[in-house]
Each structure stands twice: as structure tokens, then as C-alpha cells.
Amino acid sequence: MVNETQVVFGTIVCCIVLLVAIILFALSWSVLEPLEIGLNRNDFSKTIDDSQTYPGGRYFLGLGHSFVKYPRKLIIIDFSSDADEGGPALQSSTADGQAVSLEVSFHYNLNVTALPLLYKQFGEDYVTKMTNIAQSSLKNTAVKFPTEAYFSLRHDIAEMMKNDLIKHFRDAHATVQFLQLRDIGLPGRFEQRLVENVVAQQEQTKALFDKEVAIVKAQTQVIEARAQGEITEILGLAKADSLLIRENGLAQGTRLLVDVESTAYEALRKELDLSTEQLYQYLFYTRKVLNAKPSDSLLVGFGEDTRLNIGSK
């Protein structure tokens, strides 16, 4: 028969086996944060499963397996005096041998589909490798430009730096975005001389611009004077035409009125069976009557040869 000691021993063994199984089961799980992506790595052989990448979540990988984790967000490299990621400002030189200090920052993100290649190329220390690639690329671009260009062609320099970085980071399975050429440092005396040259060029450009403005202003005044003369001429012609039209209208109206009166008088003469002379006399007396004042006296029945001597008795 099984004694009590054997039962206790068996129970302890079962508990130990169960505990070990629970621990091993728990160790077989790995977790990725939402903004992480991972590769399944065999911790014994240090090889990875390049057939699959894993987004954020909890996964059962098995014992001896863990994730090589990479960020899915943008990564910053900053070369400046207050940099947290990257390093101090870059010390380089220009095409004419002048020392220059550059503060540059940019963002990049990893090519998710190429993470197995990234691991095989750099291992897990990809950040240091990317920083070294950036330093080399930026310095090589800096020496392509003369010192004066860092004041007059700053945007073009930053654009070329970005394009060169894009080419080098493409080979490292990453994409560059948002580069900023934040500051350019030159020796004090040389920088002052460049500033004076730039100011002189700006003053020359301003003088040329002022001259062009004066020319345009003078041309504008000439055009305005010509336009005003043409307007005055047009208004004069329009006024003369309007007067001519008005006089022609009045003349035509008078002629129509005379024609109407002539027609009416001829009809009246025929209606009253008068001679032309009798019609004239009729019209004459009619107008006299119409225009007479209340105090006027009209003598009727005297011939043209009648003479009246009006005076005191």
C-alpha cells in the first residue's frame, strides 16, 4: 500500500512539475507594443525567421524564442548642441577649405518589409549604424559647396543633403523625411565679411529694384497722360456730335411744324373760299385779336389807304 509519505512526495513532485510547466508556458509568450514590430529570433542560434514580421500584440513563440523589436514610428537623428538622439553639431569643411559647423536634424522610418535584411546587415545595433551613415553623408554633401553658398543657397544645400541621405538610407532599408538645416557656424571674421558682402549685394539689388520702380512709375504717368488726352478728345467729339444732333433735331422739328401749319392754312383757305391775300389778312387780324390787351381797341372796315388823324379837339 501507498503510505502517507509517498503521497506527500508525489504531490510535491506534481506541484513542482506543474509550476515548471506554468513558468515555461509563460516564458514561451512574447509581447510587442502597438507601435512596435518584431522578428522571431532563436535565442540559441541567434537566427531569425525571415518569413514573417509581427505587428503589436501578444504571441506564443515557444521556449528559446524572443522578439527583435523595431519602432514603427518616425525616428529622429539630431546633430546639435542640445541633441538627445544623434550627437553634437557636425564639424565639416566647405569646398574652399573653410571649417564649418552644421546643426542638422531629420527623421526617418524603417522599411517594415525589409526588417530581416536590416537585421542581417546591422544586427540589433541599427541606431548607431544609421547615425554613422548620416554623419558621413552630411559631411560629404557639405564639401560640395563654397562658403558663400551657405548664406545665399541655404535651401539648396539642405535639399541636396536630404536627397543624398535618401540615397544612402535606401541602401540601409530606411526612408528619410523632414530634414532641417538648423544652424551654420563659421569663424567670426569670415562670417562678418560674408554678411557684409550679402548686405552689399542686397543694397545693389534694392537700388536696381528702385530704378525699375521709377521707370515703371514714369511709364505709368505717360500712359495716364495719353489716356487722359484721349478721354478729353473723345468727350469733345461726343459733345460736338450731341450739339449737332440737337440742332438737327430742332431744325427738323421746325420744318415739320412749318409743313403742318402750311397744310392747315391751305385747308382753311379752301374751306373759307379765300384768296391767298384774304387768308393773310384773316391770319393777321386773328393774331391781333389773340394778342390784344383788354384796353386795346380794334378798328374794322378801313382800307389800307385810310388815314386817321387822332388828336385833341
Side-chain angles (χ1 to χ4, degrees), residues 228-243:
Q228 187 62 40
E230 292 177 358
I231 291 173
T232 303
E233 182 179 358
I234 292 172
L235 291 176
L237 293 175
K239 184 175 182 180
D241 291 341
S242 65
L243 290 175

Side-chain angles (χ1 to χ4, degrees), residues 219-278:
Q219 292 175 345
T220 302
Q221 292 175 346
V222 171
I223 293 173
E224 290 178 350
R226 290 177 180 175
Q228 187 62 40
E230 292 177 358
I231 291 173
T232 303
E233 182 179 358
I234 292 172
L235 291 176
L237 293 175
K239 184 175 182 180
D241 291 341
S242 65
L243 290 175
L244 180 60
I245 293 171
R246 179 174 177 274
E247 294 300 327
N248 289 336
L250 291 174
Q252 185 176 1
T254 303
R255 185 170 57 252
L256 291 175
L257 181 60
V258 170
D259 291 342
V260 170
E261 289 182 346
S262 298
T263 303
Y265 290 155
E266 181 63 22
L268 178 62
R269 186 186 68 79
K270 292 179 179 180
E271 181 70 22
L272 298 177
D273 193 18
L274 299 174
S275 64
T276 302
E277 183 179 355
Q278 291 174 336

